[in-house]
Amino acid sequence: MAEPRRAPAAPPSPSEEPDPAPSPAATVQAHRDPNVRRWLTAYTCSMLGDSVYYLALSWAAVRAGTAAQAGLVMSASALPRAVLMLGGGVIADRLGPRRVVVGSDAMRCAAVLAVAALLYLTSPGLWPLALLALVFGTVDAVFVPAVGALPARVTGKDQLARVQGMRGLAIRFASVVGAPLGGLGVAAGGAPAAFALAGLLIAASVPLLLSVRIRELPGDEADGPRGTAWADLAAGLRHIRRHPVLAPLMLSIALGDLGFVGPLNVGLTLLADHRGWGATGMGWVLAGFGVGAGAASLLLTVRGRLPRAGLLCGATLLAGSLAVGALAFAPVLWAAVGTALLVGLLTGLSGALCGAVLQTQSEPAYLGRVTAVASLISLGLTPLSMPVAAAAIGLWGTGPVYLVSACVCGLGGVVALVVPALRRAELPH
């Protein structure tokens, strides 16, 4: 994640100039730091643009082709994102995360606006939508690791847990507000207007990111990548494998996500159908989960640091797995909504704490690659559990599948509790 070395005669630009030690961001609470607020505003604009983009893409794909073709277009970004994610972490560490995020947002903005203009001028069919999805997936492969590595350069380690909470709130805000914004765009001018709105929102993040001050992290110059891209990737994987906290943490994240993603996505749809709750009932259950996850993010934002973070990660993930299993046996809709709220609160808190531990435990020079591995687990591998969960529910019903999923999710908590280094992990004061 080190920035390239500069010649002594070429001073850094004001936006790239490292802060003197100790950094002010290390002593100012993150939610009161103007630098962090600029980063958070930029991140929120980018996430809003993503939400509007996905709604516009699905609308345009359904209007231009069959349901099966629209599904292929919507999933076209998944393959390049998964295949290239680890390489994206290497790029983020080599070039610096802010530079990669700015370049990624600029590319995504240009691609979305180009498709908006094309759809406005003609009716080209599905091919530009599929190409746009491929471009988004490819750019996401470098954008996601860089976004995860950037907070450590914006604030001090003692504020990273609070920043994780703020980031979670931004994600919830974007998911709630983005869909209505996209709907307004479609209503105002069809898919071209919605794509244009998405592009403008993403574009708004670029000047904000350029105004963010980037901190120099200890060890950047000494530990920065110097070999080939393959050597850097191998070094990053070795860093994770040999680290007493990061290695078991990755296993805990993988087990937790594998047990969580299927039941809370395709499994919930099938559960609502079997119980007769319908789309409205499923929406209420998802709303309960969102409220719980938002409350967990708000707790971290307000508190900033929770003691015994590793122990709390494992305990909340284990308790959240019990709530996941109980969701399939909720007798009435209101009980399912309450259980989903508990799932969101516990797993949201566990996920945010895992992210904060990952950020503070990783060496700065490897943070992009470490984030890439964690993102690959969450975004590239665990979604594969969704078709497996759907097929298993078709064979054995929701109850047994939810119980097995809860056991897998609970194993992630067990790993965090039984590995001493991870259990004793603390966030900086």
Side-chain angles (χ1 to χ4, degrees):
M1 191 176 65
E3 299 279 355
R5 290 187 178 85
R6 302 176 178 86
S13 63
S15 62
E16 292 286 344
E17 188 172 0
D19 295 334
S23 167
T27 57
V28 178
Q29 290 182 341
H31 62 288
R32 296 177 178 173
D33 184 355
N35 197 50
V36 175
R37 290 202 295 260
R38 286 194 296 272
W39 163 80
L40 184 66
T41 304
Y43 181 71
T44 303
C45 286
S46 184
M47 292 298 99
L48 276 172
D50 274 5
S51 295
V52 175
Y53 155 75
Y54 281 111
L55 186 142
L57 182 67
S58 63
W59 177 268
V62 168
R63 295 295 295 269
T66 65
Q69 290 171 332
L72 288 175
V73 169
M74 292 299 295
S75 62
S77 61
L79 181 61
R81 183 169 54 221
V83 170
L84 302 175
M85 184 75 75
L86 295 180
V90 173
I91 293 173
D93 283 339
R94 279 176 169 254
L95 301 182
R98 194 258 294 276
R99 186 173 297 140
V100 172
V101 171
V102 168
S104 300
D105 274 346
M107 289 182 62
R108 295 193 302 161
C109 173
V112 170
L113 292 179
V115 170
L118 185 62
L119 293 178
Y120 180 76
L121 296 172
T122 183
S123 299
L126 285 170
W127 71 266
L129 302 177
L131 181 61
L132 177 62
L134 288 170
V135 169
F136 246 72
T138 302
V139 175
D140 271 353
V142 295
F143 175 81
V144 171
V147 162
L150 191 54
R153 290 181 173 269
V154 174
T155 188
K157 276 192 173 186
D158 59 318
Q159 294 298 311
L160 283 175
R162 179 171 273 121
V163 168
Q164 286 294 112
M166 296 165 69
R167 185 180 175 188
L169 288 175
I171 293 172
R172 295 297 159 195
F173 175 81
S175 64
V176 170
V177 176
L181 273 181
L184 288 174
V186 170
F195 276 124
L197 177 59
L200 292 175
L201 285 168
I202 296 172
S205 69
V206 175
L208 287 166
L209 282 169
L210 291 174
S211 71
V212 173
R213 288 181 293 104
I214 300 299
R215 301 171 62 247
E216 188 79 20
L217 294 181
D220 276 355
E221 291 298 318
D223 297 331
R226 298 185 180 89
T228 65
W230 283 110
D232 289 347
L233 176 57
L237 296 176
R238 282 196 303 272
H239 174 64
I240 295 172
R241 188 178 70 248
R242 296 173 179 175
H243 198 284
V245 173
L246 293 179
L249 180 61
M250 291 297 180
L251 178 58
S252 179
I253 291 172
L255 290 169
D257 283 354
L258 279 171
F260 172 81
V261 169
L264 265 294
N265 285 275
V266 63
L268 183 58
T269 303
L270 297 174
L271 178 63
D273 181 62
H274 291 167
R275 293 297 181 87
W277 297 336
T280 301
M282 184 180 71
W284 278 108
V285 175
L286 287 173
F289 170 78
V291 169
S297 296
L298 182 61
L299 174 63
L300 271 182
T301 300
V302 173
R303 288 294 303 274
R305 179 186 182 273
L306 296 176
R308 309 197 70 176
L311 177 65
L312 195 56
C313 278
T316 52
L317 184 56
L318 188 59
S321 70
L322 297 176
V324 168
L327 187 58
F329 302 95
V332 291
L333 178 58
W334 66 264
V337 173
T339 305
L341 189 149
L342 190 60
V343 171
L345 178 63
L346 293 168
T347 59
L349 186 57
S350 175
L353 284 171
C354 283
V357 170
L358 182 148
Q359 296 250 336
T360 55
Q361 290 286 331
S362 175
E363 291 293 329
Y366 295 102
L367 193 50
R369 282 162 284 181
V370 171
T371 304
V373 172
S375 301
L376 178 62
I377 291 170
S378 298
L379 300 177
L381 300 181
T382 55
L384 298 177
S385 66
M386 288 192 285
V388 175
I393 289 174
L395 290 173
W396 298 298
T398 54
V401 174
Y402 266 72
L403 287 177
V404 171
S405 297
C407 290
V408 174
C409 186
L411 284 175
V414 170
V415 169
L417 292 175
V418 301
V419 176
L422 179 53
R423 184 179 68 248
R424 296 168 185 160
E426 291 280 6
L427 297 176
H429 288 277

